[in-house]
Amino acid sequence: MLCRTRLTRRAFVGSLIVLPLTHLPGPAPAASWPNRPVRIIYPYAAGSPGDILARLFAQRFSDSLGQPFVVENRAGANGTLAVEAVVRATSDGYTLLFSPSPPITISPAMAALPYDPVKDLAPISAVNTNTFALIANRKMPVETVAEFVSYVRARPNDVTYAEGGIGSTNHLAMALFLHRAGLHMTNVSYKGSGPALNDVIAGHVRTMFTPLAGLRPHTESGAIRVLAITGEQRSAYLPQAPTLGETGYPGFRVPAWTGLLAPAATPMPIVERLAAEVARAVKDTNFAEQLNRRGAEPLGTTPGEFRAMISADLGLWADAVKIAGLQRR
């Protein structure tokens, strides 16, 4: 009787061991995604221009994919807290990152981070480019880039420029331009591009590179002049502003974009579906116009194109950090 009991137990255990793996619980197939709300983490404060774009895309995804896409603002540490939160999230398509480029392409050159932007994130699509403008206060007696260069060259280190924080895009953009033009200026650092721009408008600081979005009212009032923009082509937002390439600096670029990313290992069908939704959105005339009105140039790349952009930009910004004399912490 005892032997028979042991045999029965062995047979039972054996039946568990050979149970097909398909009977074990696992993640829901990508084909069923999304079947519950999706959160989109944005690295900066609510109400900022990028936050508004995040909410535009969230509503678009909600309408087209049939589930709520909810924007969650997680500010701090120059955007890296939000990126880390996404990197640590489950790779199931229910946590996404909607981020401007600095936490992905500049921060790795500035400090040791708890994430690798290449290995730990799955690029989905660069949804738009963020064109920057070289601006001058109305008190600065220049109207063109050539006049700007001559004015600064005659006053080495005497002319101040504003930037929204050490290692910010507008700080490094000016460092690159000064290096290219052989100029020397003194930077005044602010906690954010908004306060920096306000002081240029008020005339406390002469100039800066700043996002093109939102500048139209200040150009119309005459508070500032846009000398040139960083895009390869003129912007529909301010078409009268020439590119830096037109003004004698061909190839000068400030790679600034906003992109949609996910944790690494997110299933490719989900990544590709989201990329297709972005591409569809930016081709929609009404939706694209909403972006253009905010100074954002619609883009909508494939995941592969976006990955190549990130790799190229990491190298460019690493060089800019060296040119600016910033040491990695």
Side-chain angles (χ1 to χ4, degrees), residues 85-257:
V86 173
V87 163
R88 296 183 184 279
T90 305
S91 302
D92 57 5
Y94 290 96
T95 301
L96 306 174
L97 175 68
F98 190 92
S99 177
S101 50
I104 311 299
T105 59
I106 295 178
S107 294
M110 295 287 296
L113 300 175
Y115 60 83
D116 183 320
V118 174
K119 295 179 180 178
D120 296 333
L121 290 167
I124 296 171
S125 180
V127 303
N128 66 272
T129 54
N130 303 314
T131 301
F132 275 63
L134 175 61
I135 67 170
N137 174 269
R138 63 185 167 191
K139 296 178 182 178
M140 191 175 184
V142 300
E143 295 188 1
T144 66
V145 171
E147 290 176 356
F148 175 90
V149 170
S150 295
Y151 183 87
V152 173
R153 182 165 288 139
R155 299 163 180 81
N157 293 318
D158 286 347
V159 182
T160 56
Y161 70 91
E163 37 90 346
I166 299 299
S168 61
T169 304
N170 43 31
H171 179 203
L172 296 179
M174 186 64 84
L176 285 171
F177 181 73
L178 297 180
H179 179 74
R180 174 81 177 267
L183 303 175
H184 300 278
M185 297 175 67
T186 301
N187 69 304
V188 180
S189 191
Y190 293 79
K191 292 183 177 179
S193 293
L197 176 61
N198 289 339
D199 264 13
V200 174
I201 292 170
H204 302 311
V205 187
R206 295 295 184 92
T207 181
M208 71 179 295
F209 272 94
T210 189
L212 184 62
L215 291 185
R216 189 185 293 154
H218 306 302
T219 62
E220 291 174 349
S221 71
I224 62 169
R225 302 185 189 94
V226 173
L227 304 180
I229 64 170
T230 60
E232 294 181 2
Q233 300 176 342
R234 294 199 179 200
S235 170
Y237 178 77
L238 212 63
Q240 67 271 32
T243 67
L244 277 164
E246 291 179 75
T247 62
Y249 297 90
F252 182 87
R253 68 187 192 97
V254 176
W257 40 258

Side-chain angles (χ1 to χ4, degrees), residues 34 38 40 55-70 273-274 277 280-281 284 287 290:
V38 178
I40 299 176
R55 295 177 190 278
L56 285 174
F57 275 95
Q59 186 59 57
R60 176 84 185 198
F61 294 152
S62 299
D63 294 342
S64 60
L65 296 173
Q67 289 289 340
F69 282 69
V70 181
R273 187 174 182 191
L274 279 165
E277 290 296 332
R280 235 186 319 271
D284 181 304
F287 188 83
Q290 293 184 70

